Amino acid sequence: MTGHDTEKKAIVIHIELTAPGGPHPAGKPVPVSVSVVGTTELLLVGVLDGSEDGSRYPRYRPAVSLGGQIVAAPPAAEDPLVAALRVSDFVRLAPGEPFDPCASRSLATFETFVPEAPGSYVYTLTLDTQSSAPEQWLGRINQTDVPEVLALVSQVPRFRVTSPPLVVEVR
Amino acid sequence: MSAPSDPTQGTSASLSGVADLEHRLQEVVPSDGRVAEQREASGLRQEPGLRQETPGPQETPGLQRDVQFQLTRGRYRSGGQGYQLELRVDVDGVRPQNRVSADFFSTSGGTTSYFGSFIVHFPTVTVTAAQVVLQGTGSFTFNAGAPVVRVTVPRRTTAQPQGDATVQFLTASGQPGAGYVCPFVSPYFRSVVLEQDSVTGAVPFVSYDTSALPQPPTSPSRVLTVVKSYAEAGIELQMSGFSNIVATSAAGPDLLWNDAELHNAMVQHFSGFANVAQWRLWMLVASAHTGGYRGIMFDYNDACQRQGAAVFYNAIQGNTPQAQRAQLRTYVHEIGHAFNLLHSWQKNLAVPPQPLGPNGGFGDLSWMNYVQNYQPLSGAGGEAAYWAAFPFQFTDSELVHLRHANYRDVIMGANAFGTGAAEIAPELFDEPVEDQSGLALEVRAKEAFAFGEPVVVELKLSTTDLRGRNTHSHLHPDTDFTHVAVTQPSGRTVLYRPMLRHCSDDAAVVRLDQDNPAIYRSAYIGHGADGHYFQQPGEYRVRAQYLASDGSRIVSPVCRIRVRYPVTQADQEVAELMMGEESGKLLTLLGSDSPALASGNAALQEVIDKHGKHPLAVYARMVRGVNAEREFKNLTADNELTIRQPDTKESIQQLTLVADASARGEGVDNITLNMVMRRLAGAQAKQGDLEQATGTIDKMVRTFEGKQLRPSVLEQIRRQAERTKAALASETKERPAQKKK
């Protein structure tokens, strides 16, 4: 799956989910790994407080479905009191360099969903940086260095990309 | 600052209570009904009071075990003048946190103000037949001279009323400090008034029976309301008698609420709203938020935060047990934010940072965790696991915060959400919790200053008492009676310290009444003993405190001042010249010939010479003009006194330009302009031109008449003008005219 930014220079971004091979036992969460790769140098931010429930950017929206029905997805955001975005949250990637956005904060949906019944479960993840205002990236608790952070936010390409479906057989 | 003395030392309250203690213990007084209330506040399961087997060197064997004692738990408060102590004892009952904490309040004149707090972690507990003694070293918000705290609580049976707690402070070497006798107030550690309003069509949550769905065996079945949930934590939510229905039009035409609309609704509908620290909270049951949230503590962005929260009915509605349970959690959760509780995984972001619970906080079984994020150290996580294990309670560390955190860290309207640090003790500038002073203080300034522009504020002291009040007129912050705190854009709060402090021990009584409702002073606070205070662009918050003749502490509301970014190269250059250390001193002194300030004078002259048309040049001209108007005495290294005579030509030239620009609204503030025009008239009179000087004073009156000032202020200016003209005439007669230069 690729994403194309809306700015001058086209950037192709791949997001990929992987899981240990072979059938997965029912009754246990599936350990899903995430990797983001760009074809050019780019600035990204990993999963933050509020990214998963969509209350701040970047949005990382996971979903798990079975038989075409969503069986796990983040609930509506509880509240928007999310932690500050820091300069150190930005990661500059070289072309082709893989990035694990869950290194600092995992995705609770993947981590806590337990497939109880056998079947083919489909895992997907959508990464969305298309905020309508850069302030939608900021936190609401002790947010400092706003000019510096917003300057970096402006360098993150704007795109919305969904991973290819990761199919996990559960037995 | 006339800082209050140490409330742990000296005489603060009578120690007579100690002597009375044993006697009172013998009194048999019928129950006053507080026992039932205490059971409620102590939690779910009523337990007997501290048991005799509690370790302690003074333990008395043989205590009757069938006697039910009052819990050693709850809130006590001393009275009287000087300092009052609100004490919280938490070593008994359900989920005791083994802490003793307290807040000091100072009473002065007609005002009662918060002073400071302390907490004793894990005090030693000694139980005898007659009393419980708790002792430990406290952590104070100020430097306490007697930091060891000993609290004595008489043991009372459940048939007796609670006894007074006695607090004795001790130095590290064991010398007694101050003592306080604190009568019992409540079994709750804090009491907050909760006003809950709702929008048309939204149905507020009532209660949830925890047995309606499976729950952990450690969680007894009970019917929980929001009030009950907090009561179990030892916090009393008193529902106010007000409950308004807010029209949905307040949310705008889209019927969705954003944070600004919520804040505005709070200001409009919260009966107890005030921009002060107070134990009051507003909860709105709204329809929906623009962000689709379940709830929000929306008051996180202004000077007095955490006063309001909202829950969104469209997102949380439902009559199923699951929906009711989730509603209860959302209500308690959002109110928790108003108590300055962060999410379970955010505790380390607090100032100062707090430790995280298991799994980075995601393993907390707390009202403040997210159900879907719950991740225990072992086993499955997520929503189902959370509800299977959640006993409907806060964690222990959250209980310590709710019950014992420093006053300003918990009370609504005080420390910002998630924040508690400051360079000075901000409580010194807290609004008094009680104010009968009859006086009001206001700090005013223009909304925005250019970068490098001298920041001048106007201080206004007025009476709120129609009968009038007498006080002193030492309103300028270069006296010991008025102090100014500046919160810089970084959040650092500093006390403005004048370069020169003017001693003012004269009476200078002023009567403020209907004829003279206020007095005003203009103060340059841009530079002081610590250098420049407004050294970077951004928003500053300024508030002042005035100590009245009767001891009342009058605190102004916050005045916001914005310092703009420089736009042009000239802006930058002028700012650099104006913000040199010596330039700052010259602005404070209104000029000087001191050789030590030569480079400052050179910088100001460069502003005039190279940037004469720049808006900030008026300040350089004012300093040069005022200084030139007066003579300057210089004691040389050889102890020779040289006197530089007034340079009236230079003074008139510079001050005329300042006055003209200011009259057009492009220069200094009104009070400073008043000073400038009188100095200008003085220079003209010294030059021998009394007619021109008189004309300048008359022009001053006309200038202010054109500025639409209040009649009482204008009348003061007219009287001042007449006095000035008479003085100038008198001085001119006594002095031969100075030869025009």
Side-chain angles (χ1 to χ4, degrees), chain B residues 78-161:
Chain B
S78 71
Q81 283 296 305
Y83 289 105
Q84 296 179 357
L85 189 68
E86 184 160 291
L87 173 73
R88 294 173 292 271
V89 176
D90 184 12
V91 295
D92 206 353
V94 174
R95 298 187 72 195
Q97 296 304 307
N98 297 315
R99 305 296 202 283
V100 171
S101 65
D103 305 315
F104 290 99
F105 296 86
S106 65
T107 58
S108 179
T111 53
T112 300
S113 307
Y114 169 68
F115 177 81
S117 301
F118 74 80
I119 179 170
V120 179
H121 299 277
F122 309 110
T124 60
V125 182
T126 305
V127 183
T128 68
Q131 60 190 27
V132 178
V133 179
L134 317 166
Q135 184 163 326
T137 300
S139 298
F140 289 76
T141 58
F142 55 92
N143 289 325
V148 178
V149 185
R150 180 190 295 154
V151 178
T152 304
V153 182
R155 297 190 84 190
R156 294 293 175 89
T157 68
T158 51
Q160 296 174 302

Side-chain angles (χ1 to χ4, degrees), chain B residues 168-189:
Chain B
Q168 174 67 60
F169 292 95
L170 304 159
T171 65
S173 61
Q175 296 300 309
Y180 297 81
V181 176
C182 305
F184 182 79
V185 175
S186 168
Y188 296 100
F189 301 101

Side-chain angles (χ1 to χ4, degrees), chain B residues 55-357:
Chain B
Q58 297 176 31
E59 202 167 291
T60 304
L63 189 70
Q64 292 177 324
R65 290 181 185 275
D66 56 346
V67 175
Q68 290 287 306
F69 286 99
Q70 300 269 16
L71 297 177
T72 309
R73 173 188 172 109
R75 191 164 89 240
Y76 302 76
R77 180 151 180 161
S78 71
Q81 283 296 305
Y83 289 105
Q84 296 179 357
L85 189 68
E86 184 160 291
L87 173 73
R88 294 173 292 271
V89 176
D90 184 12
V91 295
D92 206 353
V94 174
R95 298 187 72 195
Q97 296 304 307
N98 297 315
R99 305 296 202 283
V100 171
S101 65
D103 305 315
F104 290 99
F105 296 86
S106 65
T107 58
S108 179
T111 53
T112 300
S113 307
Y114 169 68
F115 177 81
S117 301
F118 74 80
I119 179 170
V120 179
H121 299 277
F122 309 110
T124 60
V125 182
T126 305
V127 183
T128 68
Q131 60 190 27
V132 178
V133 179
L134 317 166
Q135 184 163 326
T137 300
S139 298
F140 289 76
T141 58
F142 55 92
N143 289 325
V148 178
V149 185
R150 180 190 295 154
V151 178
T152 304
V153 182
R155 297 190 84 190
R156 294 293 175 89
T157 68
T158 51
Q160 296 174 302
Q162 291 276 7
D164 298 347
T166 305
V167 182
Q168 174 67 60
F169 292 95
L170 304 159
T171 65
S173 61
Q175 296 300 309
Y180 297 81
V181 176
C182 305
F184 182 79
V185 175
S186 168
Y188 296 100
F189 301 101
R190 320 261 195 198
S191 293
V192 176
V193 175
L194 172 64
E195 179 177 328
Q196 181 172 288
D197 295 342
S198 57
V199 302
T200 309
V203 181
F205 167 80
V206 178
S207 65
Y208 169 70
D209 184 342
T210 66
S211 65
L213 292 167
Q215 59 176 335
T218 55
S219 177
S221 297
R222 72 266 198 203
V223 175
L224 281 180
T225 62
V226 175
V227 170
K228 182 82 185 327
S229 300
Y230 274 90
E232 289 188 358
I235 305 299
E236 182 180 29
L237 293 183
Q238 300 169 336
M239 297 304 293
S240 84
F242 300 95
S243 186
N244 298 319
I245 301 295
V246 178
T248 49
S249 59
D254 57 3
L255 294 180
L256 299 176
W257 294 83
N258 61 34
D259 295 358
E261 290 165 345
L262 288 166
H263 194 279
N264 181 58
M266 175 177 73
V267 174
Q268 300 293 325
H269 296 279
F270 183 11
S271 306
F273 177 77
N275 264 325
V276 297
Q278 56 178 350
W279 293 111
R280 287 180 178 275
L281 171 63
W282 186 67
M283 170 69 96
L284 178 66
V285 185
S287 45
H289 191 280
T290 53
Y293 309 121
R294 295 175 58 87
I296 186 172
M297 190 286 289
F298 56 82
D299 191 16
Y300 55 83
N301 214 16
D302 59 1
C304 295
Q305 301 182 9
R306 301 185 287 103
Q307 299 185 82
V311 293
F312 300 104
Y313 181 67
N314 293 2
I316 65 176
Q317 65 181 308
N319 294 319
T320 64
Q322 288 83 354
Q324 292 287 305
R325 183 177 64 179
Q327 285 181 42
L328 169 65
R329 201 198 67 81
T330 298
Y331 276 66
V332 175
H333 178 101
E334 298 307 335
I335 290 174
H337 285 316
F339 279 96
N340 216 354
L341 286 174
L342 295 176
H343 290 133
S344 297
W345 62 94
Q346 294 172 336
K347 308 293 188 191
N348 59 328
L349 304 177
V351 181
Q354 301 296 311
L356 288 168

Side-chain angles (χ1 to χ4, degrees), chain B residues 2-17:
Chain B
S2 51
S5 58
D6 182 350
T8 67
Q9 292 190 308
T11 55
S12 296
S14 167
L15 277 171
S16 60

Side-chain angles (χ1 to χ4, degrees), chain A residues 59-136:
Chain A
R59 291 177 171 170
Y60 285 87
R61 306 283 278 168
V64 184
S65 58
L66 175 65
Q69 300 291 316
I70 298 288
V71 292
E78 179 80 26
D79 65 39
L81 300 175
V82 296
L85 175 60
R86 298 160 300 177
V87 170
S88 59
D89 290 322
F90 291 83
V91 178
R92 192 170 295 280
L93 299 177
E97 180 184 357
F99 169 55
D100 177 7
C102 302
S104 297
R105 185 186 173 97
S106 59
L107 293 165
T109 302
F110 288 163
E111 199 165 271
T112 62
F113 173 66
V114 178
E116 299 288 359
S120 295
Y121 289 82
V122 177
Y123 288 70
T124 58
L125 177 63
T126 298
L127 169 55
D128 180 1
T129 65
Q130 293 177 320
S131 57
S132 55
E135 287 76 13
Q136 292 172 308

